[in-house]
Each structure stands twice: as structure tokens, then as C-alpha cells.
Amino acid sequence: MKFSLAIGTILLASSATAAVCPISLLKRAGLLNKEDEAAYDAVKADRGAAEDLFHANQKKQSKRAGSVLIGPRSADGLLDLPFGGGLLGGVLQGLTGPLQALDIPVPQPQGLKAIPGDDPSHQFQAPGPTDVRGICPTLNALANHGYISRDGITSFAEAANAVQIGYGFDYPLSVFLSALGLLAGGDLITGKYSIGGADSRVPNTIGPALGLDKHGVFEIDGSITRQDVYFGNNANFILQRWNEYVEIADQNGGLFGASTQAQDKALRYDNSRATNPEFFAGVKWFAVAHAARVFVYQGLPNGTNQDVADYQNIAPFFLNETFPDNWFRRGEPFTLVSTLVEALDLFLQEPRELGGNEGLNNFVPLELDLSTKTPAQLGCFLLENIFDIVPDQVQPAIAANFELFSAFVKGIIAPFFTDDGYFNCDISSFVEPSPNAGIDSNGSVSSSGSPVNGAYPGIGVIAPGSEPS
Ligand code: HEM
Ligand SMILES: *[C@@H]1O[C@H](CO)[C@@H](O)[C@H](O)[C@H]1NC(C)=O
Ligand SMILES: *[C@@H]1O[C@H](CO)[C@@H](O)[C@H](O)[C@H]1NC(C)=O
Ligand SMILES: *[C@@H]1O[C@H](CO)[C@@H](O)[C@H](O)[C@H]1NC(C)=O
């Protein structure tokens, strides 16, 4: 009964907002059937019951669709899951063989909810001397609030679960992001990765795990507030870039919505192309530069006022790496499909050529026009090329263990793109890293002087509307 889920979700929401509960109105109007009324009363008596309802509903759903394992298929039409995985009733199945120790993310209850609310285990604590932070302000905030390990050493499952809980991203999108994080710089066997630079607390079981900040896989040029790796530390928050971002928002009514994002993207691309002799804007740049900016206005506004990406809601994430006071996550989970649709849209608002500098004033375009692809085609293209980061450098571990990494992608990422009614990608193989891609074992850095509750060295907070110095 779908309705019971709705009751659970709405009550989770209304418990937090103290708004008039639409279900109580339905009940008073006599529009609830017996089952729904019982569910309503149970949840009213005990808020925890809403979560039980959610899980019960989920189990029912997975029982219904539960008998069909979904995953990529090989040319002969058989499921191609070398080390397990695949989706059963919308939930990823465990991995086997060398990947069996990897914890699998679990769908979390969703809906409007105060984050962190008054939950005592999720209040802000500034990172201690051995805690690492990095390039993603929102993962930093999750660590500062203990939704992922406060030391900044997280795992595939932990971060995917935390992104659902903290930001209301749906299961496929959260799994996809965390899987990329693991591929970017983690240890595939244990699932651990650092949200900053390389770290001795992450084992190097099959090759060096260089951390999320490692340039070239997920970390790109032309970020919002971080500088290109060519110029040095690519993890630190740069106040001047933030001020320029705020200035663009001011020109757009003080909002960090799509227009602001498209303009900031263009500014960063143009600056990097003009000044960074190693600037590279390939397929990963296309995806990450636009998706990260979509996340600002889809993930960070107050969920009670989802369309208003204002300073009050965006700034605390960047300046203090914390949730705004009295903040609610999204009511409606944000999806992988919407991410691609909106990323493509941002791109088209301020299109820029894909390619890279081979020295200043020597931009070499890629013969690739992604703007003509539909979002579904774009998704399949990204999946097929997930390992092809040429001419950037290949992670040594990926190059040396290609079969293992392919099996992970087949079992964990590809199932969201196959037989799903939207992408329906026909993926029987992945583009392999080009043999002429250099192997780059260079280290990576965590952020230092990360802006934490006003502790960023030497800054006053720039108010909206004021000129940056
Ligand atoms: C496990 C999940 C996630 C992973 C592994 C991840 C990873 C990353 C990485 C590698 C970057 C750097 C990209 C670059 O070089 O520009 C980044 C930046 C960013 N991420 Fe995340 N991210 C995750 C979840 C999220 C979520 C849930 C949000 C928002 C709700 C978000 C918002 C952003 C933003 C706004 C930036 C740009 C920061 C800047 O350039 O100043 N991320 N993330
Ligand atoms: C979020 O919305 C709630 C309900 O309208 C409000 O009380 C709260 O102050 C808002 N928080 C922020 C950070 O905008
Ligand atoms: C590694 O870093 C050094 C020093 O920064 C640099 O000269 C070298 O080119 C880098 N290696 C690769 C493969 O990028
Ligand atoms: C950051 O934290 C400081 C210290 O608690 C506070 O004064 C400031 O208002 C915060 N800034 C934002 C944008 O939340």
C-alpha cells in the first residue's frame, strides 16, 4: 500500500516542521481507509514508527520486484556480474570473491527532516589535528557532524548512506557518487577512502590509494572554490573565489541557482584555460564541473524552501563546513537522472569547448560534442568511459587490476543504468585506459586551514552585496 509510505514520509516531515499535517486533514475528512488510519495513529503515537513503516513498505516493494536480478548483460544475453552485485528489488546485492569484504550501501528513509536537528551524536565538532578534510565541502560537513567518520576516513557504504541521510539524495545517486569516490582514490578491497589526500589509515591492498583529492579521476580543474592542482594545493578553500561566486549570485538576485552556476562555470573555465598550461576539460570535467554546481542549488537549500538557494543556506557549507542553523534536507529525494538532465542544461546555458591546454595559448580540442546527446545517452557514455581518463593519468591500482575494477563497476554502478526504464544502456564492455596514459603515483593533499566555524585564517565573513577586497 503506497499510501502508508506517504504517511510515514509526511509525518517525518511534519514532526519536524510542526506544520499542519495533511494526513490529519484527510483523516478528519474521513478519506483514510482502515489500514491507513491505523498506520497514521501508530506514527502519531510514536514518531519512530514512521521509519518502521518506511522499511516495511520497502520490503513489500522488493518482494514484488524482488525476483529479478538486474545488471549488465554480456553479448550472449546472460547477466555479467563476475563478482556479484546487481540490483534486487532496488537494493544492491553483496559482492563475492576478492570483493566480498566490501560493505554495500543500504537505502535510507527519506523525506523532509531537520539535519542535524537535536541529534546529540551529529552536532558540529571542528576537526582535530589528525582528522582530514578535502575538496568536497559537503563531505567535510558530513564529517564535522559525524554522519561519516569524523577523522575523514570513510568508506563506500558509509558515505553513500550519509549522503542519503544528510542531503536527501536518492539511493542510486548516492551509491554512484560514493562509488566514484572509491574509484578516485580508495582501496577497492576494504572500500575505504580518505575524503582528503593520501592517508596511512587507508590500506593500499592492491595499489596506492591516493584519496579523493587526487587529481584526474574525480578532482578536476575549474572548481568553484578550489584552485587547479597545477597551481598547488587543490583542496583548500580559496576565499577570493568564494567572493567572486557571491558577486555572481548578487547579480542574480542573491541566489546561487542555475544562472549563477552557469556563469561561475564559464568564469572558471575561461580563467583556467587562459592561465593554466595544463588545464584539462574532458569528459570527467564535463560531468563533475556541472554536477557539483547542480548540487549547490539542489542539495543545499533549506528543504522547506527548496527553490531558494540563498546566501544564508549556501554560505555555511562553504565557509564553515557545517549545516545552516535550523536546516532541513530535501523532501523529495534528488536523483541521478535529474542530475544529468540539469548538468546538461547548465552546460548549454554557457557552452564551452572540451579539450585541454598543451601549454598556454595552445588549446587542443577533443573531437567530442556532448551537447548533442540526450541525458540518457550521456549517462551511458559516462558509464562506458568511466575508466578512460586520457590524457589525464590513470590510477596505478586501476591500471594494474582492471578486471577487478570492471567487476566492481558491473556489479555496483552499471545496474542503475541497465533495464531501468530510463537509461537502458547496452554496456557489454568498458573503454579501457589508453596504454599511453601515464601512471601517476604522485601524492595528493588534504586541505589545511579549512574554513571551520569562522576559524579560516584571517578572514571576516563577506556579507552578500559587499565588494570583495
Ligand atoms: C560520496 C559522495 C560524494 C563524493 C565522493 C564527492 C566528491 C567530490 C569531489 C571529488 C569534488 C571535487 C570536484 C572538483 O574538483 O571540482 C567535489 C566537489 C563538490 N561537491 Fe562533492 N561529493 C559527494 C557528495 C556531494 C554532495 C551530496 C553534494 C551536495 C549536496 C556535493 C557538492 C559538492 C560541491 C558543491 C563541490 C564543489 C566544491 C568547490 O569546488 O568549491 N558533493 N565533490
Ligand atoms: C528552514 O525553514 C524553517 C521552516 O520554515 C525555518 O524555521 C528555518 O529558519 C529555515 N532555516 C534556514 C537555514 O533557512
Ligand atoms: C609528480 O610531481 C612532480 C613534482 O611536482 C612533477 O614534476 C611530475 O611531473 C609529477 N608526475 C606526474 C606523472 O605527473
Ligand atoms: C561561521 O561561523 C562563525 C563562528 O561561529 C559565525 O560567526 C558565522 O556567522 C558563520 N558563517 C556562516 C556563513 O554561517
Side-chain angles (χ1 to χ4, degrees), residues 138-270:
T138 63
L139 286 179
N140 294 346
L142 287 176
N144 290 338
H145 285 266
Y147 287 103
I148 60 177
S149 176
R150 289 185 187 265
D151 63 10
I153 309 301
T154 189
S155 74
F156 166 52
E158 183 186 68
N161 293 341
V163 166
Q164 295 175 71
I165 295 167
Y167 298 104
F169 283 17
D170 77 352
Y171 183 65
L173 177 55
S174 305
V175 168
F176 181 68
L177 289 173
S178 191
L180 288 182
L182 178 60
L183 290 177
D187 176 52
L188 188 64
I189 303 303
T190 56
K192 283 193 180 178
Y193 62 95
S194 153
I195 65 169
D199 196 287
S200 61
R201 287 164 288 188
V202 178
N204 303 304
T205 318
I206 54 173
L210 297 170
L212 194 60
D213 292 359
K214 177 66 193 166
H215 178 71
V217 187
F218 203 159
E219 200 284 325
I220 52 155
D221 290 333
S223 307
I224 304 173
T225 64
R226 271 65 173 169
Q227 68 184 352
D228 295 358
V229 71
Y230 174 80
F231 298 109
N233 180 308
N234 60 338
N236 283 350
F237 170 85
I238 309 279
L239 182 63
Q240 189 197 335
R241 297 178 81 121
W242 166 254
N243 287 339
E244 289 168 10
Y245 193 42
V246 173
E247 226 180 310
I248 297 173
D250 283 343
Q251 290 157 18
N252 289 289
L255 296 179
F256 296 75
S259 308
T260 295
Q261 302 309 329
Q263 287 167 33
D264 179 71
K265 185 280 306 275
L267 170 72
R268 291 302 157 212
Y269 174 102
D270 295 347

Side-chain angles (χ1 to χ4, degrees), residues 393 438-442:
Q393 272 97 24
I439 300 287
D440 176 6
S441 299
N442 275 3

